[in-house]
Amino acid sequence: MDKGTQQTLFSILYALTALDGREAALFGKSAPLAREAFARSLACDTFPEVWFEIPLAGDPWFDLHLLVSRESLSPDMAFSADDTGGHPQVFSWFAQHDRVRQLALSWDVGKGNDATPAVQVLVSDYDPEVSCSFLRAAGREDLQDAYRAFRARIPEQWFACYTGAFPNRERDFVRVECIVGEQLQIAYAQDASLLEGHLRQAGVRELGETAVARCQELARSPFDLEFQFDVMPDGALGSTFGASVRFGCPPGEEGRPCFDPHGAAGELMEQVEAWGLADERWQLLADTAFATQVARGNNSCLLFDYPTFVKLRWRDGEPVDAKAYLLAGAQA
């Protein structure tokens, strides 16, 4: 798929997602910068996986995350700064590595920043040295020891699936996402002390009055629980951490629990609203979901979007905000 076609499909994808007043309510005015960011993230001829990150209270805006799969690249490909968000060396590393799943460029378009995106890797095994080699490719070899220290102390059942470097942020850190796993999530839902103990083991210093109870509510949902941490250069955690749950129902997987506003997802979002972290805009999330065939020359492709995550954040033990994540794409 050529770049012009990819850009056209992205514009259609966004327009369908933001129809019927959803642009003003959910997306704000971030679209022009998002289109520019998308055009600078087309390292190959496969349409990227698209994520819209949307706050659930306050002024509407969105950030854009674009992911490419390892299978879409080959080790002999050449990459330029213009097509990789300024990270050609990371794409070269990724194309030659067989223990990774996806590479992401994350653009802070909601903050008006389209200069340098963050870059993250999603790994396929538990070996911390895979992420350390990613950090070296990203020019952040100075964060390797901090990452290793974090990995050495977290519960062994946690899967550190995601590692991110953020050159456009004021403070240096490496971001790590950890999947809890089904059995441990069940245990957390039943035992708040175990949940608190594992968060403190990971390095969270301040949990305040709400973090444990609300994370336990997430654990009690039918959706997969994950934690996200910022690991500072000295190995300690930053002041902010997040907890999220992932909904199901991508195309072809309709049997999994999904974002049903009249089911478990709606009950959870009503609770998030009661906590003061969301307003009524969450009720529009279900309307963003679609799957439709569009013509592309003599061929056609499936455009789709569906709500995939809700994430809560705390800073120094105090609740900060809640965000929704929409997953969208184009499949031939």
Side-chain angles (χ1 to χ4, degrees), residues 184-244:
L184 199 52
Q185 181 170 338
I186 292 171
Y188 289 163
Q190 299 171 346
D191 187 348
S193 64
L194 176 65
L195 171 59
E196 178 176 355
H198 279 183
L199 289 173
R200 294 197 183 280
Q201 178 181 333
V204 180
R205 296 183 297 275
E206 299 291 340
L207 287 167
E209 298 179 355
T210 68
V212 173
R214 293 179 182 181
C215 287
Q216 193 172 34
E217 284 295 315
L218 297 181
R220 288 171 176 153
S221 79
F223 311 115
D224 296 339
L225 176 66
E226 303 183 14
F227 293 124
Q228 190 178 85
F229 306 97
D230 294 341
V231 184
M232 311 310 289
D234 63 359
L237 294 189
S239 59
T240 303
F241 86 97
S244 61

Side-chain angles (χ1 to χ4, degrees), residues 24-40:
L26 295 175
F27 294 92
K29 300 178 180 179
S30 305
L33 276 182
R35 292 189 184 95
E36 293 179 21
F38 183 86
R40 295 177 54 202

Side-chain angles (χ1 to χ4, degrees), residues 52-56 269 285 309-311 322-326:
F52 300 109
E53 176 185 347
I54 299 171
L56 293 174
M269 294 309 301
L285 295 176
F309 274 100
V310 62
K311 180 174 77 174
K323 296 178 181 178
Y325 292 76
L326 311 178

Side-chain angles (χ1 to χ4, degrees), residues 11-20 22 287-288 290 292 294 303:
S11 293
I12 297 171
L13 191 66
Y14 172 77
L16 291 172
T17 306
L19 275 176
D20 300 327
R22 292 190 293 273
D287 297 333
T288 68
F290 67 88
T292 185
V294 298
L303 296 185

Side-chain angles (χ1 to χ4, degrees), residues 107-190:
W107 299 86
D108 289 339
V109 295
K111 304 174 183 65
N113 181 1
D114 67 340
T116 306
V119 60
Q120 300 104 12
V121 66
L122 285 82
V123 301
S124 54
D125 68 29
Y126 280 75
D127 184 356
E129 292 309 308
V130 176
S131 288
C132 287
S133 66
F134 158 76
L135 290 171
R136 292 194 296 272
R140 296 314 312 265
E141 55 275 356
D142 56 312
L143 293 172
Q144 292 178 97
D145 288 344
Y147 178 81
R148 291 187 183 105
F150 172 78
R151 286 290 306 274
R153 68 174 182 260
I154 63 174
E156 64 179 13
Q157 302 98 319
W158 288 10
F159 174 40
C161 63
Y162 155 118
T163 305
F166 290 75
N168 54 353
R169 302 295 176 93
E170 291 183 3
R171 299 189 67 186
D172 282 341
F173 60 88
V174 53
R175 180 164 291 170
V176 187
E177 182 98 7
C178 296
I179 299 173
V180 166
E182 181 179 2
Q183 294 305 312
L184 199 52
Q185 181 170 338
I186 292 171
Y188 289 163
Q190 299 171 346

